[in-house]
């Protein structure tokens, strides 16, 4: 599976054949190649790389996929539209058309947190697409709830 196939982004779930909340063995089987194990720079303990495909998968301490990042040579799409190489404005429009509200996280990324999608734009165009497990995020607590807990 080393061709430049279109890998559809499924919000809160998958990119192409790779699904969140799966094991390394399931990922290797889905992609048809052995992954390389690395220490993850993302805060998760383990990162798997499929270098030939431009894919990195972050696993939690239980070995479950929590983030999947795809870049060249893979071709991630959203609602059939390519995402790599797209500028900020068009990236935001494509997220919106897919029902995902994107916000600028910082100067080089867009988050559509409710959809579990992050777009990295280091030079103003999408260089990689991340699908992340929104269930793995710490729950957000309102200010009122925090104050009530403090007494």
């Amino acid at each position: 599976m080393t061709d430049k196939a279109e890998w559809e982004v499924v919000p809160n779930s998958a990119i192409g054949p790779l699904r969140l909340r799966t094991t390394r063995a399931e990922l290797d089987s889905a992609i048809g190649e052995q992954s390389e194990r690395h220490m993850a720079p993302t805060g998760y303990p383990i990162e798997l790389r499929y270098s030939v495909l431009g894919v990195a998968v972050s696993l939690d301490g239980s070995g479950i996929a929590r983030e999947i990042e795809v870049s060249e040579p893979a071709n991630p799409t959203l609602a059939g539209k390519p995402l790599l190489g797209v500028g900020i404005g068009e990236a935001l429009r494509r997220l919106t058309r897919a029902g995902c509200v994107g916000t600028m996280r910082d100067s080089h990324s867009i988050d559509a947190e409710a959809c579990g999608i992050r777009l990295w734009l280091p030079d103003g165009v999408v260089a990689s697409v991340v699908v992340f497990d929104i269930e793995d995020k710490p729950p957000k607590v309102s200010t009122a709830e925090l104050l009530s807990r403090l007494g």
Side-chain angles (χ1 to χ4, degrees):
M1 184 180 274
T2 57
D3 59 347
K4 188 176 175 167
E6 290 184 359
W7 286 22
E8 185 65 19
V9 173
V10 180
N12 301 317
S13 181
I15 298 180
L18 301 176
R19 305 195 78 65
L20 293 171
R21 298 178 286 284
T22 56
T23 66
R24 180 180 187 176
E26 291 168 322
L27 293 163
D28 286 353
S29 176
I31 211 160
E33 291 190 21
Q34 187 69 22
S35 55
E36 305 158 17
R37 184 177 169 153
H38 298 269
M39 294 307 293
T42 58
Y44 289 106
I46 303 165
E47 180 176 86
L48 305 178
R49 292 188 190 150
Y50 302 87
S51 299
V52 172
L53 300 173
V55 175
V57 181
S58 296
L59 307 179
D60 66 14
S62 301
I64 302 299
R66 297 300 182 178
E67 285 188 358
I68 303 168
E69 182 173 6
V70 178
S71 58
E72 287 282 346
N75 184 22
T77 60
L78 182 63
K81 301 280 188 189
L83 291 169
L84 298 182
V86 172
I88 293 170
E90 184 59 25
L92 287 167
R93 280 188 288 281
R94 290 183 186 184
L95 285 168
T96 301
R97 282 188 213 119
C100 300
V101 176
T103 57
M104 293 301 294
R105 180 173 175 211
D106 51 39
S107 63
H108 58 273
S109 64
I110 297 172
D111 268 7
E113 186 147 344
C115 290
I117 299 172
R118 179 173 301 120
L119 305 177
W120 292 106
L121 304 97
D123 297 314
V125 297
V126 178
S128 69
V129 178
V130 177
V131 172
F132 57 90
D133 188 352
I134 61 172
E135 293 177 15
D136 191 45
K137 301 289 180 194
K140 293 186 178 177
V141 180
S142 70
T143 304
E145 188 173 340
L146 275 174
L147 292 172
S148 71
R149 286 181 187 177
L150 294 172

